[in-house]
Amino acid sequence: KSYNYINPEIVYEAREKINLMISESFRNSLLSLHNGIGVISEEFDNKNTGLRLLKNRYLDLIVISENRIDLAENTFQNSTNMTEILNSLKLLIKTNKAEIALSTFYDKWKSNPLIIDKWFSLQATFTPYNYIFQTIEKLRTHPEFNFKNPNRFRSLIGSFAFSNYKAFHSIDGKGYEIASNWIKKIDKINPQIAARLSTSFEIMNIIEPKRNLLMKNFLKDIRYTKNLSKDTLDITDRILNA
C-alpha cells in the first residue's frame, strides 16, 4: 500500500495560498482589468461567457487581495446578469458578509425553484468553516427545504458533501456524520440519490489514517443498516472492499 495519503486540510490551504499568491502578483492591475471589461452584452455566446468568467475571476482576486467587499456588494446590487450576481453572492458568503444579500436574493427569487437551488448550494459550499455546521442545520429546517425533492436535496446535502471539501472532511468526523445520516434517511425513498451521495466516501482509501478510520466506521454503519437498498449496498460494499 502506498503511504502518500491525501490530507484535505493541506489541499484546501494550498489552494487558498495559490489564490492569494496570484492576487498579490496582479494586485496593482486587478481593479483596472476588472473595470476595463465594463458591462458585458447579454447576448449569449462564447466571447461574452468568457468575459464574464474573467470578470468574476478578477473580482474574486480583488476581494482576496484587498478585501474589497464593497465591490462584491456593488456587483450584487447592480448587475443584471445572474452569473455575476451569483458570483458576488458567493464572495459575500465566503467573507461572512452575506446576511442581507442572502435575504434580499431569496425574497426576489423565491418563486423560481432552480435559482433557490443555487441559493442553498452556494451556502452549503462557501459558508466559512466556523459557521458551516450551524448553517446546514438552519437550512435543513428551512420551509423551502424538502429533502424528498431530489434537486433541493442535491443543492444542500450534495453540495456540502461534494463541494465543501474542508467541512465535509472535518477532522472530528462531523461532515461524514451529516452525510451518512442523510444517506440512511434518503435511501428509504430514493435509493439512487443515497447511492450517489455514498460516493462522497470514495476517497476513503487514499485519505490520511485518522479520517480513513472515521470514514470506514460511518460507511460500515450505512452498509449494515437494516433494509438498505441494493443501490446503496453495492456502492458501500465496493468502497469498503476496494
Side-chain angles (χ1 to χ4, degrees):
K1 263 187 185 273
S2 156
Y3 289 96
N4 296 331
Y5 296 122
I6 288 174
N7 185 320
E9 248 155 335
I10 293 171
V11 173
Y12 176 83
E13 298 305 337
R15 196 171 170 207
E16 294 295 295
K17 202 174 245 177
I18 288 166
N19 273 326
L20 188 60
M21 284 160 68
I22 294 168
S23 68
E24 291 295 337
S25 56
F26 287 101
R27 189 171 189 157
N28 297 332
S29 46
L30 281 171
L31 198 57
S32 57
L33 287 166
H34 173 270
N35 294 342
I37 293 177
V39 177
I40 302 161
S41 158
E42 287 297 323
E43 200 180 324
F44 189 75
D45 60 23
N46 287 345
K47 184 189 170 192
N48 290 332
T49 304
L51 280 172
R52 207 160 271 122
L53 284 171
L54 188 60
K55 193 177 181 186
N56 283 346
R57 187 68 180 126
Y58 286 148
L59 186 59
D60 290 352
L61 295 170
I62 292 166
V63 171
I64 291 168
S65 66
E66 299 180 46
N67 201 27
R68 290 288 305 273
I69 308 297
D70 59 308
L71 270 181
E73 283 174 339
N74 189 36
T75 303
F76 177 78
Q77 284 158 12
N78 299 313
S79 176
T80 54
N81 177 268
M82 189 50 79
T83 309
E84 286 183 15
I85 293 167
L86 289 170
N87 184 65
S88 55
L89 183 58
K90 171 199 85 176
L91 292 169
L92 294 172
I93 292 168
K94 278 185 88 166
T95 50
N96 200 31
K97 298 278 192 295
E99 203 175 332
I100 296 165
L102 281 167
S103 92
T104 55
F105 186 91
Y106 177 80
D107 289 341
K108 185 171 182 182
W109 298 104
K110 59 185 169 202
S111 60
N112 185 322
L114 290 177
I115 295 180
I116 294 302
D117 283 341
K118 293 272 190 205
W119 183 83
F120 276 98
S121 173
L122 284 175
Q123 292 178 80
T125 306
F126 296 107
T127 296
Y129 181 77
N130 294 350
Y131 307 99
I132 184 63
F133 296 113
Q134 64 227 55
T135 297
I136 294 290
E137 190 51 38
K138 193 173 91 185
L139 292 173
R140 178 185 75 77
T141 57
H142 192 281
E144 281 301 313
F145 181 68
N146 172 9
F147 78 95
K148 294 176 181 174
N149 173 327
N151 286 346
R152 193 56 45 93
F153 182 83
R154 274 191 292 260
S155 69
L156 181 60
I157 308 302
S159 296
F160 170 76
F162 290 108
S163 305
N164 195 327
Y165 202 64
K166 188 176 179 181
F168 177 65
H169 293 290
S170 178
I171 193 66
D172 57 7
K174 219 168 179 175
Y176 306 146
E177 185 182 7
I178 288 171
S180 71
N181 286 343
W182 277 110
I183 289 164
K184 290 183 286 185
K185 187 170 181 176
I186 200 85
D187 186 67
K188 295 177 175 62
I189 58 162
N190 195 327
Q192 287 80 16
I193 286 195
R196 170 80 185 101
L197 188 57
S198 300
T199 64
S200 61
F201 286 82
E202 270 180 331
I203 194 178
M204 184 180 89
N205 294 309
I206 52 171
I207 209 162
E208 56 80 29
K210 188 170 180 191
R211 288 179 175 91
N212 169 279
L213 189 62
L214 283 166
M215 289 185 109
K216 197 173 279 176
N217 289 338
F218 280 112
L219 211 50
K220 280 181 178 167
D221 183 48
I222 298 164
R223 163 66 181 82
Y224 294 106
T225 299
K226 254 173 121 173
N227 304 321
L228 195 68
S229 71
K230 187 183 182 309
D231 303 64
T232 306
L233 187 69
D234 287 350
I235 295 280
T236 49
D237 253 354
R238 177 169 63 75
I239 300 170
L240 282 166
N241 296 316

